[in-house]
Amino acid sequence: MEWIDQVRLVLQILTNTSATVLDVSGDNEYWTLRIMYPYRDELSETSEFCDQYELSFEVERVRELSSETAGRYGLTDEQFDALTVACEEGYFDVPRKADLGDLANEIGISHQALSERLRRGHEVLIKETLLIGSRSQFRIRLEP
C-alpha cells in the first residue's frame, strides 16, 4: 500500500473521533468503511473535516443502535418476535415441528404476513451479519 496524503487524512478522521471501524474494504477508487460513531455530532465533525480537506464522501445509511437485541441486528420488534417464535417452535428444524399456519395463529397474524415478516427478517440478518462490507455506510473517494 502506498500511503498518500489522503490516507493520512482518513486516519486522522478516525483518530480525532471516538469512531470504531467495523469493516474496511477498498479498491483503487474507493475505500468503503463501516463505522460506528457513539454520538451523531462526531459524524458531523467527520463531514466538516472532509469538506475542509476536499475529501468527498457519502453516508449511505445511519442507524441508531439500541441495547435491545432486535435493534442491534437491524430487526423490527415484529421481525425479532416472528423469528424467535419460529425457532423456538421448531419451524427451522428438519423435519419441521411447526408450520407457518400454526405460528401465524400463535402470533396473531395471517399466514402470508408471517411469511413476509420472516423473509424480511432473514434478509436483514444476512445483510447485517454476513454481507458486512458489501454495503457501505461511509465511503471516501481517494483521488491520486
Side-chain angles (χ1 to χ4, degrees):
M1 171 182 274
E2 183 180 333
W3 288 89
I4 60 174
D5 288 339
Q6 289 172 320
V7 173
R8 288 186 188 93
L9 289 174
V10 172
L11 293 174
Q12 190 172 346
I13 291 168
L14 299 175
T15 57
N16 286 348
T17 64
S18 301
T20 301
V21 178
L22 302 175
D23 187 54
V24 176
S25 61
D27 57 31
N28 46 333
E29 188 175 352
Y30 289 103
W31 274 28
T32 301
L33 295 91
R34 186 167 182 249
I35 299 175
M36 181 173 59
Y37 288 95
Y39 306 102
R40 234 178 235 268
D41 62 331
E42 290 182 334
L43 177 58
S44 297
E45 288 174 26
T46 300
S47 173
E48 292 166 9
F49 184 89
C50 288
D51 286 346
Q52 178 182 351
Y53 288 96
E54 298 178 354
L55 288 171
S56 64
F57 75 99
E58 59 187 82
V59 177
E60 291 187 5
R61 184 170 38 145
V62 175
R63 183 167 52 88
E64 296 291 329
L65 293 180
S66 70
S67 60
E68 299 293 319
T69 303
R72 282 197 310 247
Y73 296 107
L75 297 169
T76 65
D77 290 338
E78 292 81 9
Q79 290 167 345
F80 179 82
D81 291 342
L83 287 165
T84 55
V85 167
C87 188
E88 290 167 352
E89 297 298 321
Y91 176 75
F92 300 113
D93 293 352
V94 177
R96 283 195 170 129
K97 294 179 184 165
D99 66 26
L100 274 180
D102 295 335
L103 294 175
N105 286 336
E106 183 175 331
I107 294 172
I109 60 175
S110 71
H111 175 279
Q112 182 66 30
L114 177 58
S115 175
E116 292 173 10
R117 191 173 289 176
L118 289 173
R119 281 197 305 272
R120 286 190 305 269
H122 283 128
E123 179 183 25
V124 167
L125 284 175
I126 290 166
K127 286 179 178 177
E128 293 295 320
T129 58
L130 301 178
L131 298 180
I132 292 174
S134 64
R135 294 183 56 146
S136 64
Q137 290 192 337
F138 184 82
R139 180 178 276 187
I140 298 174
R141 183 181 192 105
L142 299 177
E143 301 289 340

